[in-house]
Amino acid sequence: HHVSGAIARIQAFEAVHRSELALQRTSFEREAMLNTALVGISFNIKDRIVWVNEKCAEMSGFQRDALIGQSPRIFYESDEAFAAEKIKSEASLREHGTYSGERYTRRQNGEKIWVLLAGRCVENNDPDAGVIWTLLDVTARRQAEDDIRQALERQRAPNVLRSRFVAM
């Protein structure tokens, strides 16, 4: 009787140990996948950065450890810019559970980059329970758009002069 009880306890312990190992392996695999992503990923709870992937740290110019525990304010150039984005994003997250927008962000060295920012609540429409943010660097696309706009402006000016001249 004692022996069968001891065997049952050992088997239960081994089952728990196996499931802990499986959980740990799953956790390592998920961490590896998220760290090889081409987008920056940040998990924030109530104005604190809880976790970031390698790409997010690389985009921001900070070490991962330096970002953990910080306020996302660290990515903004001013309190006003942070507050304005927070009001817009919180309203959208509470209404739809998601938010997305393009904006400038500041790297640690002060350099500005354009990012496409998208957030999704972990629990439906409750940003306080945590939000997963993805950041995609769209600086090159924004720069190309600006270049095209400027080229069109330069082209338009002579045309305006020409039509004025013809009109005279």
Side-chain angles (χ1 to χ4, degrees), residues 140-160:
R141 180 181 57 82
R142 292 296 294 239
Q143 188 59 57
E145 287 172 0
D146 285 349
D147 293 348
I148 290 168
R149 235 188 320 277
Q150 288 169 3
L152 288 171
E153 270 313 303
R154 285 193 299 272
Q155 204 174 2
R156 196 177 355 234
N159 288 343
V160 168

Side-chain angles (χ1 to χ4, degrees), residues 102-105 112-116 136-139 142:
E102 272 186 28
R103 68 168 184 79
Y104 260 135
T105 188
K112 286 180 175 181
I113 60 170
W114 277 99
V115 293
L116 175 59
L136 180 64
D137 186 340
V138 293
T139 309
R142 292 296 294 239

Side-chain angles (χ1 to χ4, degrees), residues 1 5 14 17 26 31 43 62 72 75 81-83 95-96 109 116-117 131 133 144 147 159 164:
H1 179 67
E14 286 176 341
H17 185 66
T26 304
E31 178 89 6
F43 177 52
F62 290 92
F75 298 126
F82 176 60
E95 190 179 340
H96 308 289
N109 64 9
L116 175 59
L117 181 69
V131 179
W133 293 98
D147 293 348
N159 288 343
R164 280 191 196 147

Side-chain angles (χ1 to χ4, degrees), residues 34-44 49-68 70-72 74-75 103 105-108 113 115-118 131-137:
L34 292 172
N35 274 325
T36 56
L38 296 174
V39 294
I41 304 170
S42 174
F43 177 52
N44 301 3
I49 299 168
V50 178
W51 182 91
V52 294
N53 71 345
E54 292 288 347
K55 186 66 176 177
C56 185
E58 178 193 312
M59 282 170 68
S60 68
F62 290 92
Q63 294 294 315
R64 281 177 82 184
D65 297 348
L67 290 170
I68 306 298
Q70 291 282 344
S71 162
I74 200 168
F75 298 126
R103 68 168 184 79
T105 188
R106 193 172 50 92
R107 293 167 56 90
Q108 186 183 22
I113 60 170
V115 293
L116 175 59
L117 181 69
V131 179
I132 295 173
W133 293 98
T134 56
L135 299 90
L136 180 64
D137 186 340

Side-chain angles (χ1 to χ4, degrees), residues 19-35:
S19 60
E20 280 177 357
L21 285 174
L23 193 62
Q24 197 175 28
R25 190 175 62 242
T26 304
S27 179
F28 286 146
E29 288 167 358
R30 186 172 299 128
E31 178 89 6
M33 277 187 272
L34 292 172
N35 274 325

